[in-house]
Amino acid sequence: MKTTIFALIATCAILLSTSLSFGLQTTFTPGILFSEEYTDNHYRTNNDKEHECITIIAPSIKAQILEKTGGAEIFYKPSYVAYDKFDDNNILRQSAIFSGWAQIVKNFRLDVSDSFLRTEEPDEEE
């Protein structure tokens, strides 16, 4: 966790310093999501139905760099999922998206993107 925070601070410092020296436009957008979910059939069975309350806390940050001939954007959102009754199912989900583009020549633009998603295993069908 400490390395993630350090990496985020280092990235912000680099983006701000390059913005001042190269005339780039940088944007940082923080966000947070609080969500509550209720289900009356947690295990999705026909019998032995169990109800459950699920709380999701998800901070996020979006950093964007734009210039005349290119740009890049990164979005990161860790989500902590807390179960009320079945707390052994608590998990930290993570989602990250990177995209960038560069106008190489007049009629040629290079777009690059990648995404990462970490979540709990899907329920197996019986």
Side-chain angles (χ1 to χ4, degrees), residues 1-19:
M1 184 67 176
K2 289 183 181 181
T3 57
T4 304
I5 294 171
F6 176 74
L8 184 60
I9 292 171
T11 302
C12 292
I14 290 169
L15 292 176
L16 287 175
S17 65
T18 57
S19 174

Side-chain angles (χ1 to χ4, degrees), residues 43-103:
Y43 291 114
R44 299 181 196 147
T45 60
N46 291 333
N47 48 2
D48 295 332
K49 294 182 179 182
E50 292 280 345
H51 67 90
E52 176 67 284
C53 289
I54 304 167
T55 304
I56 301 172
I57 303 169
S60 65
I61 186 158
K62 178 176 156 183
Q64 187 177 44
I65 302 174
L66 296 174
E67 67 164 336
K68 191 174 185 179
T69 60
E73 179 177 294
I74 188 164
F75 177 77
Y76 177 64
K77 180 172 76 171
S79 304
Y80 182 70
V81 181
Y83 291 81
D84 185 38
K85 289 173 58 178
F86 305 103
D87 58 356
D88 55 331
N89 293 338
N90 292 359
I91 190 167
L92 178 66
R93 298 175 184 162
Q94 296 186 53
S95 172
I97 301 170
F98 170 79
S99 62
W101 62 275
Q103 190 76 35

